[in-house]
Amino acid sequence: HTTLECNRHTPTYWQFGGRGSFGIAGNNVEVRNLRFYNTASVTRNGSQGNAIAITGRGGKYNIIVDSCIMENTDCGMWLGANEGTVIKNNRVYHTFADALHIENTGSNMLMENNYVIGAGDDAFASCSDKYEDARICKNNIIRNNTARGNYWGRGIMGSGTYDCLIENNVV
């Protein structure tokens, strides 16, 4: 694995207010064998909180995130407004919020064969917080994942989503 380590906060990060991360922009992007480890903070405290290992929002198609490791982060992966994204074979350890999260217009996405231990909130989530028809998660598949030892939230969260298939997960 290539390792990225976040060891301090930056006052102006492009999207998440001081949280270091690996940001995805564009179409047909593949991220494989990346290890992201955060040592900048060990608490969950809003905009000055920990890193989000992999982020992406707005008009992204056909992203693959495969065989990555995310440790001691606020959120392992937070993806929204994506279509056709595949999140598979990843390991997420000790987050302070959601481990793997699809939001808003995340559609036709696959979250498969991921392992989460110690999520601070939801281990696997497909959620819409904009309840307008054009901004709702749809047609996502969450299958063959494992979540252990969550201490807040749920193992799997589906909220404001439709036509979502959730099967063969262990929580």
Side-chain angles (χ1 to χ4, degrees):
H1 284 86
T2 297
T3 299
L4 298 178
E5 182 176 334
C6 175
N7 59 15
R8 67 184 176 109
H9 293 294
T10 56
T12 55
Y13 178 69
W14 69 278
Q15 192 170 24
F16 290 98
R19 301 177 198 181
S21 73
F22 181 84
I24 296 174
N27 301 321
N28 303 311
V29 175
E30 294 185 16
V31 179
R32 297 179 191 273
N33 300 312
L34 173 72
R35 178 178 179 255
F36 188 95
Y37 184 76
N38 176 57
T39 59
S41 178
V42 293
T43 63
R44 178 180 178 173
N45 53 11
S47 64
Q48 298 303 311
N50 285 332
I52 297 174
I54 299 174
T55 63
R57 291 187 181 189
K60 291 157 201 68
Y61 300 94
N62 304 320
I63 294 169
I64 297 173
V65 179
D66 182 14
S67 301
C68 294
I69 299 171
M70 294 148 251
E71 295 181 73
N72 197 38
T73 59
D74 193 22
C75 183
M77 191 178 311
W78 192 281
L79 299 171
N82 293 275
E83 180 151 342
T85 294
V86 175
I87 303 166
K88 66 179 185 174
N89 305 318
N90 299 290
R91 303 296 175 254
V92 183
Y93 304 110
H94 312 297
T95 61
F96 294 96
D98 290 0
L100 301 174
H101 184 104
I102 301 167
E103 73 157 359
N104 295 334
T105 56
S107 298
N108 303 308
M109 296 173 75
L110 172 63
M111 191 180 296
E112 180 176 62
N113 298 327
N114 299 288
Y115 181 81
V116 173
I117 188 166
D121 202 357
D122 304 329
F124 307 103
S126 177
C127 301
S128 298
D129 59 8
K130 311 284 189 219
Y131 298 106
E132 304 149 14
D133 187 48
R135 303 267 311 161
I136 294 178
C137 289
K138 58 186 174 285
N139 303 321
N140 295 320
I141 299 171
I142 301 172
R143 72 172 170 221
N144 301 332
N145 299 289
T146 301
R148 293 182 49 205
N150 288 30
Y151 52 96
W152 292 318
R154 293 143 298 268
I156 300 173
M157 172 65 164
S159 173
T161 185
Y162 66 91
D163 291 337
C164 186
L165 175 64
I166 299 172
E167 66 179 2
N168 300 326
N169 298 284
V170 175
V171 177

